[in-house]
Amino acid sequence: MKTSIYIGMLILVILGGLSSCARLFGGMSKDKAAKTLDRYLKKHTQQALGFTNLTRFWNEGNMNPNMFSVEIFDEQTPEIRFGLHFDAKLMNEKDSLKQGGFQTQSIQKQYNEVEADFRIKQRMIAALKKQGIALDFDYYSAQLQFKNTPTPEFLKETLTALIARMNTNKSDLLSSNYFEFNLQTPPYSTAVLQAKTTSEENEDWKLTSFSLNTQAEDYKLIEKSIEQETTHYLKQLDHQYQMHPASKVYVNTDTFKEAVWIQFLSDASEADDTLVKRSMAAVTAVIFQYFNPETHHIIRTELTPIAHPDSFEAYWEGIETQLPFPTHW
């Protein structure tokens, strides 16, 4: 308990010291920086913009005691917001915006981009809400929560239409080229089903495969169940295998009632007692655990030795083609 208190006090002292150092080196006060930014926003933007979380951004990386970070938001629509770095001294003395890094756009331009992204996504959210589907966007992913269990056809139609609409507005959306859709349906407590997409910079998003969301609580339960079943299966074999860290999961997009856990294996060795050592071991076999993702029930198990361990990379890339069901459409 005392150690935690001492650590907490030390952190406060360090933070206070950094702030004091910034002031000693000529850093502008937060109050004056706030007034400077407020004046600049009123002069250089067309909307009523507010800001919050104003913090000095002085560190060993920029060594500028006048650099601040802040979150800008639209006072009429607070959900429209974005982060900003600015040199308060330069802004005060030269009425100029220096943001550091690679950001060179004006605040108005940044607002316009965020505002366009927000409006487009809100229209998509409203359209799906009429169908009983809640949609929530993040930069790398979107979560869809279905009120009723969708048929495979309805699920495909929903995703196909959503991807098409995103592609129509791709140039205005602030989203990663590698984008994932996490789907929560009534059988699951979390969004465990996952559609993976990818795109090049100037190309449309395309569905690459249907898998499971590794961040979902339901996934952790599935993972534990499959590992237990796999361990039990391997113990019954004459050949001594151990699970390699490499694995993949695919979902049958014909039914969404079947999935396969592809677990790579290496020969067991007493020396392979750490994750690092096991990851470096040659892959000598692969086990396919076909299962029901809702019940975790194992449907069937298939084990295939890999004749040429040095061909693992090619095997890894092409293994989806060996499956008896489609993983996308």
Side-chain angles (χ1 to χ4, degrees):
M1 183 66 181
K2 288 184 178 180
T3 302
S4 300
I5 295 174
Y6 292 149
I7 292 174
M9 292 175 65
L10 180 59
I11 291 173
L12 291 174
V13 170
I14 292 173
L15 292 175
L18 288 174
S19 178
S20 298
C21 286
R23 294 295 301 278
L24 285 173
F25 282 103
M28 184 183 291
S29 70
K30 286 181 62 175
D31 288 343
K32 188 172 182 180
K35 292 177 182 177
T36 299
L37 178 60
D38 184 59
R39 183 172 64 250
Y40 187 89
L41 291 175
K42 287 182 170 66
K43 180 178 179 180
H44 293 278
T45 60
Q46 302 167 11
Q47 297 76 24
L49 300 181
F51 57 89
T52 185
N53 298 326
L54 178 68
T55 306
R56 193 181 303 278
F57 193 66
W58 182 83
N59 55 46
E60 67 279 4
N62 61 59
M63 295 302 291
N64 184 349
N66 294 298
M67 188 65 72
F68 287 83
S69 66
V70 70
E71 190 172 13
I72 307 292
F73 64 89
D74 186 326
E75 292 184 344
Q76 296 298 316
T77 310
E79 295 86 354
I80 301 175
R81 56 181 60 219
F82 58 95
L84 177 76
H85 293 95
F86 70 100
D87 185 320
K89 184 177 181 181
L90 190 63
M91 182 178 285
N92 182 56
E93 296 179 355
K94 304 289 187 178
D95 193 34
S96 177
L97 177 64
K98 179 181 179 182
Q99 302 172 77
F102 300 99
Q103 180 61 272
T104 59
Q105 293 180 330
S106 67
I107 294 178
Q108 183 64 54
K109 177 66 174 177
Q110 292 177 65
Y111 170 85
N112 291 344
E113 289 188 348
V114 174
E115 194 267 347
D117 172 83
F118 175 80
R119 300 297 179 194
I120 292 168
K121 289 176 178 176
Q122 286 302 303
R123 289 195 290 270
M124 289 188 278
I125 289 171
L128 286 181
K129 186 176 181 180
K130 294 178 181 179
Q131 302 179 55
I133 305 169
L135 173 62
D136 183 37
F137 277 99
D138 202 345
Y139 181 74
Y140 292 99
S141 64
Q143 177 167 313
L144 289 83
Q145 184 173 7
F146 290 79
K147 184 176 181 180
N148 301 308
T149 301
T151 63
E153 293 72 26
F154 181 72
L155 195 154
K156 292 177 184 179
E157 290 172 2
T158 300
L159 269 183
T160 299
L162 182 55
I163 293 173
R165 194 160 186 178
M166 288 178 64
N167 283 330
T168 301
N169 298 280
K170 192 171 191 291
S171 61
D172 293 317
L173 288 175
L174 302 177
S175 298
S176 168
N177 283 333
Y178 294 90
F179 199 81
E180 299 169 343
F181 297 94
N182 297 317
L183 291 79
Q184 182 177 352
T185 60
Y188 304 97
S189 61
T190 54
V192 67
L193 298 175
Q194 183 179 84
K196 296 179 179 291
T197 72
T198 186
S199 75
E200 298 299 329
E201 186 173 351
N202 297 316
E203 295 182 359
D204 288 348
W205 279 291
K206 297 177 182 178
L207 181 65
T208 57
S209 65
F210 221 97
S211 184
L212 299 181
N213 175 16
T214 60
Q215 303 303 311
E217 286 297 323
D218 283 302
Y219 174 86
K220 296 175 183 177
L221 297 176
I222 293 173
E223 180 181 42
K224 182 178 180 180
S225 177
I226 296 296
E227 285 185 351
Q228 290 176 343
E229 292 290 343
T230 302
T231 299
H232 177 71
Y233 180 87
L234 294 178
K235 285 182 178 179
Q236 301 178 64
L237 301 178
D238 293 333
H239 193 101
Q240 294 299 304
Y241 288 115
Q242 64 183 5
M243 285 185 280
H244 191 275
S247 64
K248 286 188 174 185
V249 182
Y250 292 105
V251 174
N252 182 343
T253 54
D254 276 346
T255 65
F256 295 98
K257 295 291 186 181
E258 181 184 16
V260 59
W261 189 290
I262 305 172
Q263 178 66 58
F264 291 89
L265 307 171
S266 58
D267 289 348
S269 168
E270 293 182 2
D272 299 334
D273 56 352
T274 67
L275 180 61
V276 174
K277 290 180 179 179
R278 284 191 287 115
S279 65
M280 296 174 65
V283 174
T284 55
V286 59
I287 186 170
F288 298 82
Q289 293 279 29
Y290 293 89
F291 66 100
N292 184 316
E294 292 182 20
T295 65
H296 309 174
H297 172 70
I298 300 295
I299 299 171
R300 65 185 182 280
T301 300
E302 299 174 3
L303 189 146
T304 304
I306 296 178
H308 303 286
D310 58 342
S311 65
F312 168 68
E313 186 172 341
Y315 197 90
W316 169 271
E317 294 297 332
I319 200 164
E320 186 179 355
T321 61
Q322 300 183 34
L323 302 179
F325 54 67
T327 61
H328 61 281
W329 57 88

